């Protein structure tokens, strides 16, 4: 079968040279329209090197499987004799073809009907079921991640200052204050990008369970307990009640008045609720920036105009860009291409170059909006095993529904072969009995030991208990430096073991040899792991030499602080 990659006129392309090689490896003939990847920085020669054929746009559209970034606005209905000769663009899509694209089926029923009338099997990349097995196909989350990052880039370009605080001989400047509304995929990406630039980031979400995620990104959680909501059992975010909305609005009013940058991401089933009123904008400082990631759904700010840059009467810039992922075409195309390749691989179990879609597969069924001349949207609901308390709603730009936080699995369509047995935890009573038995045996061992040995057993027991509670409460981020400290403890054990090797008691000598061997393995292995971990954060010689670093560090009078240079 032939897979066509037409040029749909935008900067994005749903296949990169890397993913094209994957498709060729699955047995397909890949036809790429000339210049289709130019906007993302992929020349035709790169596609040819990956095994694709560079063809005309009409030939790419006439392929058995056609992959584009977004579905066309309209599609001509074929006449009694079929398609007219020489049809161009989307009208060149042949009868019975497979179309892979972002279709937005809920908002474009006429297009879905037109695809069904042509007999096209339409697979919507933006209708992937939010289950763990389909995460590699989740285009919406990938694009939301890009949009959140790009939102900070756009805000930095508009803001009249630096994000990080500066300490210079001439004085100091404070860091920028960034307020993010919504801690979904886009919100967390924005928090991470703003924090990496040195800004002081505060974030709010109506879901109290995401507070830990916000803090893990280095931001401060804005709390409004009266605005907290629970998630519905169907996995969708729900609208706020009047009381919840009023409490949230009070928090927004306080935070926006103190913020230099505001990034909003709130979407509920594709609709953007109003979070920033015109009155709040009027209370913001001149020169402040609002980036509305919910502009495609109408916008969270009352002054947002989708696709436009608006300046308020008091000098606040409101950005309503709807094409933020398109402004980073290379990486966005890589994400799109990977999702398309994963989908084709899912439908090609035999790696024989033939797409065999399983309609019983819950993932394939959820994405199929038209097939066999019939409209198949909306799909049947996906039954998941996640309870309501374990669901994380998608209040983020580009997200439609919740992502189960406990890796919920579908109950049909081949899900059983992906299910993994989970071990049954021990009953609390059994654990208590085992702990009591171990304590009794330890006490008997101490009682039977000589008096001078009882003190050693006591010290050992206390060290085990204290060590367990200390290490179990150490953050995961500190495990690598903690390993280096435990290496020092192992060094003490090694020295003590070596001193006891010459003992006249053979038992003591044997234990000393074993202790020395184990401590040596722990020391060398620990330092090896630590070295490799630290190497992930170390620049290579090709990046910068020490001769280049020295003059930068000494240039403290230029206003660049050491923290921002690293």
């Amino acid at each position: 079968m032939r897979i066509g990659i037409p040029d749909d006129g935008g900067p994005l392309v749903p296949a990169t040279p890397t993913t094209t090689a994957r498709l060729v490896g699955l047995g397909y003939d890949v036809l790429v329209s000339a210049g289709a990847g130019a906007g993302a920085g992929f020349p035709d020669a790169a596609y040819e090197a990956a095994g694709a054929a560079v063809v005309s746009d009409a030939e790419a559209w006439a392929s058995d499987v056609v992959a584009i970034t977004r579905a066309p606005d309209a599609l001509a209905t074929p006449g009694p004799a079929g398609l007219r000769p020489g049809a161009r663009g989307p009208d060149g899509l042949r009868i019975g073809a497979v179309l892979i694209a972002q279709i937005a089926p809920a908002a474009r029923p006429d297009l879905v009907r037109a695809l069904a009338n042509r007999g096209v099997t339409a697979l919507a990349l933006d209708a992937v079921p939010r289950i763990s097995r389909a995460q590699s196909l989740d285009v919406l989350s990938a694009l939301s991640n890009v949009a959140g990052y790009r939102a900070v880039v756009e805000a930095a370009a508009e803001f009249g200052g630096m994000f990080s605080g500066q300490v210079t001989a001439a004085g100091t400047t404070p860091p920028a204050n960034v307020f993010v509304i919504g801690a979904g995929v886009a919100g967390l990406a924005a928090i991470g990008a703003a924090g990496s630039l040195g800004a002081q980031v505060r974030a709010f979400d109506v879901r109290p369970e995401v507070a830990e995620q916000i803090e893990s990104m280095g931001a401060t959680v804005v709390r409004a307990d009266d605005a907290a909501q629970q998630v519905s059992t169907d996995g969708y975010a729900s609208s706020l009640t009047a009381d919840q909305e009023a409490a949230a609005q009070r928090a927004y009013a306080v935070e926006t008045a103190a913020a230099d940058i505001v990034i909003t991401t709130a979407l509920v089933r594709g609709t953007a609720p109003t979070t920033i009123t015109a009155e709040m904008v009027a209370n913001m400082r001149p020169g402040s920036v609002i980036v509305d990631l919910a502009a495609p759904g109408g916008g969270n700010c009352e002054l947002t105009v989708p696709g436009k840059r608006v300046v308020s009467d008091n000098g606040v810039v409101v950005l309503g860009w709807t094409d933020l992922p398109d402004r980073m075409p290379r990486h966005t195309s890589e994400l799109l291409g990977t999702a398309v390749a994963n989908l084709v691989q899912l439908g090609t179990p035999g790696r024989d170059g033939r797409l065999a879609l399983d309609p019983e597969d819950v993932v394939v069924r959820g994405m199929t909006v038209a097939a066999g001349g019939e409209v198949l949207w909306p799909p049947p609901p996906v039954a998941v095993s996640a309870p309501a308390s374990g669901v994380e709603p998608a209040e983020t730009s580009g997200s439609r529904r919740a992502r189960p936080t406990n890796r919920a699995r579908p109950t049909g369509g081949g899900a059983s072969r992906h299910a993994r047995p989970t071990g049954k935890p021990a009953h609390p009573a059994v654990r208590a009995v085992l702990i009591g038995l171990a304590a009794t045996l330890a006490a008997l061992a101490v009682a039977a030991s000589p008096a001078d040995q009882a003190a050693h057993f006591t010290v050992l027991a206390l060290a085990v208990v204290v060590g367990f509670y200390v290490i179990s409460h150490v953050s995961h981020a500190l495990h690598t430096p903690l390993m280096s400290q435990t290496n020092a403890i192992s060094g003490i054990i090694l020295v003590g073991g070596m001193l006891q090797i010459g003992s006249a008691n053979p038992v003591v000598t044997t234990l000393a040899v074993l202790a020395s061997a184990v401590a040596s393995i722990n020391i060398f292995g620990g330092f090896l792991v630590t070295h490799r971990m630290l190497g992930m954060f170390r620049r290579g010689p090709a990046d910068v030499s020490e001769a280049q670093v020295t003059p930068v560090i000494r240039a403290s009078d230029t206003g660049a602080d050491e923290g921002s240079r690293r």
Side-chain angles (χ1 to χ4, degrees):
M1 296 181 70
R2 299 177 303 168
I3 297 180
I5 310 296
D7 184 0
D8 55 4
L12 306 181
V13 60
T16 67
T18 301
T19 60
T20 296
R22 286 183 57 189
L23 298 177
V24 173
L26 292 173
Y28 292 92
D29 294 329
V30 182
L31 310 180
V32 180
S33 176
F42 303 118
D44 293 341
Y47 287 102
E48 291 178 333
V54 178
V55 299
S56 65
D57 200 53
E59 190 173 354
W61 275 106
S63 301
D64 304 305
V65 181
V66 176
I68 55 178
T69 57
R70 294 180 180 86
D73 294 332
L75 197 66
T77 302
L83 297 176
R84 66 181 187 276
R88 296 183 178 181
D91 292 337
L93 187 65
R94 70 175 184 82
I95 298 174
V98 177
L99 177 66
I100 302 175
Q102 297 179 77
I103 299 176
R108 307 170 74 183
D110 294 340
L111 175 61
V112 176
R113 170 53 61 188
L115 292 169
N117 291 339
R118 186 171 292 204
V120 171
T121 299
L123 302 177
L125 291 172
D126 48 354
V128 177
R130 289 298 179 87
I131 58 177
S132 60
R133 190 164 64 87
Q135 286 183 347
S136 62
L137 312 177
D138 192 353
V139 168
L140 285 182
S141 291
L143 297 185
S144 295
N145 189 39
V146 176
Y149 178 89
R150 183 68 189 194
V152 176
V153 174
E154 296 290 335
E158 290 285 351
F159 185 53
M162 291 181 289
F163 272 43
S164 62
Q166 301 294 313
V167 179
T168 69
T172 62
T173 59
N177 294 315
V178 178
F179 177 49
V180 180
I181 299 177
V185 177
L188 291 175
I191 292 172
S196 65
L197 290 176
Q200 290 184 346
V201 186
R202 298 171 63 84
F204 173 83
D205 198 292
V206 295
R207 301 164 295 165
E209 65 270 17
V210 302
E212 182 179 355
Q213 299 177 31
I214 295 174
E215 292 175 340
S216 69
M217 300 296 292
T220 302
V221 179
V222 176
R223 302 186 184 276
D225 295 337
D226 294 340
Q229 67 169 202
Q230 298 296 325
V231 184
S232 59
T233 55
D234 62 358
Y236 286 85
S238 58
S239 300
L240 297 177
T241 64
D243 293 339
Q244 290 173 334
E245 185 173 356
Q249 290 286 330
R250 290 192 294 270
Y252 299 151
V254 173
E255 295 297 327
T256 55
D260 300 305
I261 309 292
V262 177
I263 299 175
T264 67
T265 70
L267 279 175
V268 179
R269 293 189 173 97
T271 301
T274 299
T275 58
I276 307 298
T277 63
E279 182 180 358
M280 296 180 193
V281 177
N283 290 330
M284 295 178 65
R285 291 189 292 266
S288 300
V289 181
I290 298 175
V291 184
D292 196 339
L293 289 180
N300 294 140
C301 179
E302 284 187 336
L303 300 185
T304 297
V305 177
K308 301 292 184 180
R309 175 184 182 272
V310 177
V311 181
S312 67
D313 294 339
N314 60 324
V316 176
V317 178
V318 182
L319 302 180
W321 306 132
T322 58
D323 60 345
L324 290 177
D326 295 16
R327 299 186 179 207
M328 309 193 77
R330 186 177 187 90
H331 288 102
T332 303
S333 296
E334 290 176 353
L335 296 173
L336 283 172
T338 301
V340 171
N342 291 338
L343 174 59
V344 174
Q345 182 175 345
L346 175 66
T348 319
R351 304 179 66 89
D352 54 358
R354 302 192 63 83
L355 193 64
L357 299 174
D358 181 10
E360 299 299 323
D361 189 316
V362 66
V363 176
V364 174
R365 178 61 187 89
M367 299 176 63
T368 306
V369 299
E374 298 181 3
V375 175
L376 300 181
W377 181 265
V382 178
V384 297
S385 59
S389 60
V391 178
E392 176 185 337
E395 188 164 333
T396 168
S397 176
S399 296
R400 298 170 291 105
R401 63 188 74 174
R403 181 185 302 280
T405 58
N406 65 341
R407 301 292 188 186
R409 294 182 295 274
T411 58
S416 59
R417 66 178 180 270
H418 297 277
R420 297 179 181 177
T422 57
K424 185 177 180 180
H427 193 276
V430 176
R431 294 180 59 186
V433 171
L434 293 177
I435 293 175
L437 180 61
T440 301
L441 293 176
L444 292 176
V446 173
S449 301
D452 57 339
Q453 296 295 326
H456 295 299
F457 278 112
T458 303
V459 172
L460 176 62
L462 291 176
V464 171
V465 173
V466 173
F468 172 78
Y469 280 101
V470 169
I471 295 177
S472 62
H473 288 77
V474 172
S475 172
H476 295 288
L478 298 178
H479 279 185
T480 297
L482 179 65
M483 186 183 301
S484 298
Q485 295 184 11
T486 56
N487 287 343
I489 299 175
S490 298
I492 298 175
I493 297 174
L494 177 60
V495 172
M498 294 176 65
L499 293 176
Q500 295 297 326
I501 288 179
S503 175
N505 189 334
V507 176
V508 173
T509 301
T510 302
L511 292 178
V513 171
L514 292 177
S516 299
V518 173
S520 299
I521 295 174
N522 191 33
I523 290 173
F524 290 109
F527 277 118
L528 178 61
V529 173
T530 302
H531 176 74
R532 297 192 63 176
M533 290 289 294
L534 295 177
M536 298 172 60
F537 303 95
R538 186 180 297 117
R539 289 187 176 184
D543 295 330
V544 59
S545 65
E546 187 172 349
Q548 292 173 309
V549 174
T550 303
V552 176
I553 296 179
R554 292 176 179 173
S556 59
D557 56 342
T558 62
D561 66 289
E562 184 177 349
S564 63
R565 287 191 299 272
R566 292 182 174 175

